Amino acid sequence: MTIREFMSDDHRHCDDLFALAEQAAADGSLTRARSSFGNFQMAMLRHFLGEEQTLFPAFEERTGMRMGPTQVMRMEHEQMRELMVAAVDALAQDDAESFLGQLETLLIMMQQHNMKEENVLYPMCDQQLAAEQDSLIERLQGDLQTA
Amino acid sequence: MQALLSYDQSPPLSAPLRFFLTAPLFLVLAGALGVLEGEALFASRWTPAALAATHLVTAGFMLQIMVGALIQILPVLAGANLARPRLIAGIVHPGLALGALALALGFLQSAPGWLHAAGVLLGGSLTVFIGAAGLAIFRVPSTSPSIRGLKLSVIGLAVTVASGLFMLLALAGGWAVPLMPLADLHAAWGLGGWAGILLAAVAYVVVPMFQLTPGYPAKPAWRFPLLLMAALLLWSLAWAVSAEALQRLAQAALAVGGLLFVGQTMKLQAARRRARPDSTFRYWQGALYASLLALLMLLASAVHPPLAGVPAWMGVFGVLILLAGLSAFIIGMLYKIVPFLLWLHLQPLARPGKPVPPMNKLLADKDGLGQWRLYLAALLLAVAAAIRPDWLAVPAGLCLMATAGWLWWNLAAGTRNYRRARLTAVSA
């Protein structure tokens, strides 16, 4: 398995959790939306953590590029963290409309971010980090399971 | 590597937005032409009014948005950075907009001067665009069906422009060359090779992304652009040797290819996991059904050519493929791209505890849904007008003007909300 495949699979997993949360809110069940969104947020944060603590440092170490693409990805993670906080706030105020609005923004932000990672950054990682691919995936697996 | 290092360099907001904000006005003009010249417009494909209206929709509306969107999405979709996007947009946008106007005027008044001007403006600006986009995209290896599709679509655009320029010169200069078979070929390359393949290349990415559907199956996705390309090359060969049977075969292949793509997309949309049908979804749904009908008509007339001579056949086909099909896909995309871009460009101004307005506060989806309903009414009227232009061309034209004006208003309002949010954030 490549880094690209492993991490892309986790993107799809986050998409699934996102869809459940959105569906719940659209059905009018804010209780269900809270718990599904909680699951989604948790999965997202673990994914970010895996990248920021394991994958990106390895890439930066190997290539010497610290201010390059990984920096942009970190910045986009920050934007998504804020969007998730805004969505939680909307839920706390029982504002389904505003929650769904935040989700819309979050979805596109997330998808264009994933696209850049899956099409550009992960393939670069596979290329640059071929030697340590297996051990990296093992560590990433750990990151995704325990936050 | 080059692309990776700089792929955060998103083009300035004005580069795509200027195209998006002028394009709907060309749809308004097409509607106005329906009001003023309705009967002539639907009498035949070759009347000055029909040629002018067709190109207001294709070169004025569709092409402008596709070019603007490509400037924005090439880096994200393919990691292909357009060199100097602001400069390219600054050259291509006025050239395209004025060129499309000159073209429509040239057709309407059969005026060689306007046709020459259109040739210079469209030829010049599109050469710059094709050069810049080609340079960016052909440097990137084809690692996905989407990237291969983007490359082929740029080739499709180049053939469309070249054949169009040749016909403009022939028309303006009164050359004694048979233009009708070449016009068919030009339309096939423009709608199939450029718009069709580009649509697929973008759909491969955005349908799963915006609708949370399963992905397009890989093998058909890789082959679809090649199939269209092969059909178009066959059509070109048929034109060169004047082989009518071969042309019909190519037309049928093009139709079947298109139908496979439409069928696949419908199947994916049926498996979408998003809860609410938003305006993008509605537009795509409508566009898929319209394309299905249009492609069946294209197939039927390839099998049985006299059908194309049935009164109203070409008029209905034109409305279905151009307005109800391709333009609707494009508008559906705009309702996602524009609010997201506005939001994205506000992001640098966000401060802790002071987030920027979310997308739906910049451009509300209910405005898009309302505009879609009126668009649907305009489409139904336009199809009916192709059958009874004496009664219905005026209401169809008026309705198209209204819904296109509404589209423009929605996009402009989004831009105004963006400016207001910017001012608030800067002065805060």
Side-chain angles (χ1 to χ4, degrees):
Chain A
M1 179 177 267
T2 61
I3 293 172
R4 181 190 190 175
E5 284 162 353
F6 179 75
M7 295 302 277
S8 302
D9 282 352
D10 197 51
H11 283 163
R12 298 295 88 76
H13 173 62
C14 292
D15 288 352
D16 291 341
L17 297 173
F18 175 94
L20 288 177
E22 188 184 46
Q23 185 72 55
D27 292 346
S29 166
L30 287 186
T31 322
R32 197 147 51 82
R34 275 187 202 100
S35 78
S36 336
F37 192 78
N39 294 339
F40 163 75
Q41 194 178 15
M42 185 72 79
M44 288 285 282
L45 294 176
R46 282 176 185 169
H47 184 90
F48 293 166
L49 209 70
E51 292 183 336
E52 290 169 2
Q53 297 194 345
T54 305
L55 186 61
F56 294 174
F59 177 84
E60 288 160 357
E61 189 67 32
R62 180 77 182 78
T63 61
M65 288 195 288
R66 276 165 221 288
M67 298 311 289
T70 47
Q71 194 52 38
V72 182
M73 294 299 102
R74 285 177 207 271
M75 201 180 76
E76 293 189 355
H77 287 172
E78 212 39 61
Q79 290 173 344
M80 285 184 273
R81 284 189 177 102
E82 280 169 26
L83 282 168
M84 290 192 287
V85 169
V88 170
D89 285 349
L91 275 181
Q93 290 161 19
D94 291 335
D95 188 345
E97 209 45 48
S98 157
F99 174 67
L100 288 167
Q102 297 292 351
L103 285 199
E104 183 71 40
T105 316
L106 180 58
L107 177 68
I108 301 190
M109 182 73 221
M110 180 167 110
Q111 297 295 339
Q112 63 91 33
H113 174 82
N114 292 355
M115 203 151 63
K116 288 189 252 185
E117 289 187 339
E118 291 172 23
N119 293 336
V120 190
L121 185 60
Y122 296 159
M124 291 293 303
C125 287
D126 278 317
Q127 210 180 350
Q128 298 286 331
L129 303 168
E132 34 192 318
Q133 203 174 52
D134 292 342
S135 68
L136 264 176
I137 290 178
E138 206 169 302
R139 279 170 60 202
L140 283 168
Q141 231 150 9
D143 290 335
L144 297 186
Q145 273 154 18
T146 58
Chain B
M1 199 59 152
Q2 202 66 40
L4 180 67
L5 281 169
S6 49
Y7 75 146
D8 55 314
Q9 290 174 356
S10 169
L13 179 61
S14 68
L17 202 61
R18 55 191 298 161
F19 291 93
F20 301 160
L21 286 174
T22 50
L25 302 175
F26 286 81
L27 217 45
V28 175
L29 288 179
L33 214 50
V35 174
L36 298 173
E37 303 258 352
E39 285 193 55
L41 204 161
F42 287 109
S44 135
R45 281 170 73 191
W46 310 107
T47 62
L51 289 167
T54 304
H55 288 85
L56 283 171
V57 175
T58 52
F61 180 69
M62 287 165 41
L63 181 59
Q64 271 205 84
I65 296 179
M66 291 189 286
V67 165
L70 264 187
I71 291 177
Q72 177 64 38
I73 63 175
L74 271 180
V76 185
L77 224 53
N81 275 318
L82 209 67
R84 317 195 58 182
R86 193 190 297 269
L87 178 69
I88 301 287
I91 295 171
V92 177
H93 175 244
L96 258 185
L98 296 173
L101 272 183
L103 187 61
L105 278 172
F107 281 134
L108 271 181
Q109 308 185 340
S110 305
W114 284 117
L115 291 176
H116 278 136
V120 170
L121 288 164
L122 291 173
S125 59
L126 287 168
T127 303
V128 170
F129 174 73
I130 292 167
L135 217 58
I137 186 78
F138 279 96
R139 272 202 298 233
V140 179
S142 294
T143 48
S144 72
S146 199
I147 297 179
R148 179 191 275 173
L150 288 173
K151 289 179 184 175
L152 294 178
S153 72
V154 172
I155 296 174
L157 178 61
V159 179
T160 311
V161 174
S163 54
L165 282 179
F166 175 79
M167 284 189 288
L168 270 187
L169 288 175
L171 211 58
W175 302 351
V177 284
L179 288 183
M180 286 187 192
L182 184 56
D184 281 340
L185 186 67
H186 168 76
W189 276 98
L191 301 181
W194 159 241
I197 294 181
L198 179 63
L199 173 68
V202 174
Y204 291 162
V205 176
V206 300
V207 167
M209 167 171 159
F210 290 154
Q211 321 261 356
L212 290 179
T213 71
Y216 282 81
K219 264 194 194 145
W222 278 103
R223 287 176 188 162
F224 171 72
L226 287 180
L227 171 65
L228 287 201
M229 217 51 180
L232 289 167
L233 289 173
L234 190 65
W235 194 320
S236 310
L237 176 70
W239 168 77
V241 301
S242 304
E244 202 232 322
L246 207 58
Q247 182 273 326
R248 284 166 56 191
L249 181 67
Q251 183 179 330
L254 203 61
V256 169
L259 284 167
L260 290 173
F261 170 74
V262 167
Q264 180 64 58
T265 308
M266 284 178 151
K267 204 171 134 195
L268 292 180
Q269 283 219 342
R272 65 199 278 277
R273 286 172 297 156
R274 296 211 63 194
R276 295 200 301 185
D278 56 14
S279 48
T280 301
F281 176 72
R282 288 287 179 234
Y283 263 106
W284 274 60
Q285 209 180 21
L288 285 168
Y289 282 112
S291 306
L292 185 71
L293 289 177
L295 291 165
L296 285 173
M297 288 177 82
L298 189 68
L299 181 60
S301 64
V303 175
H304 186 61
L307 277 177
V310 170
W313 180 274
M314 284 315 291
V316 171
F317 174 75
V319 170
L320 285 178
I321 194 82
L322 295 180
L323 284 179
L326 292 166
S327 294
F329 283 119
I330 289 172
I331 301 174
M333 290 289 305
L334 276 184
Y335 278 123
K336 281 273 181 279
I337 298 178
V338 171
F340 178 68
L341 281 184
L342 296 175
W343 177 83
L344 190 68
H345 284 272
L346 281 176
Q347 273 306 296
L349 301 175
R351 298 284 170 271
K354 282 201 187 308
V356 301
M359 277 166 62
N360 62 335
K361 289 275 155 41
L362 293 167
L363 205 171
D365 195 57
K366 67 173 169 41
D367 296 335
L369 281 172
Q371 190 269 329
W372 152 250
R373 284 184 205 108
L374 192 59
Y375 192 79
L376 188 59
L379 294 178
L380 295 174
L381 278 171
V383 168
I387 298 162
R388 284 309 303 252
D390 49 341
W391 293 357
L392 292 167
V394 172
L398 286 174
C399 201
L400 181 60
M401 288 176 78
T403 190
W406 192 351
L407 170 64
W408 178 84
W409 176 260
N410 283 345
L411 300 177
T415 312
R416 273 199 308 278
N417 292 336
Y418 162 82
R419 289 216 184 98
R420 203 169 300 141
R422 239 191 119 77
L423 283 176
T424 318
V426 170
S427 61

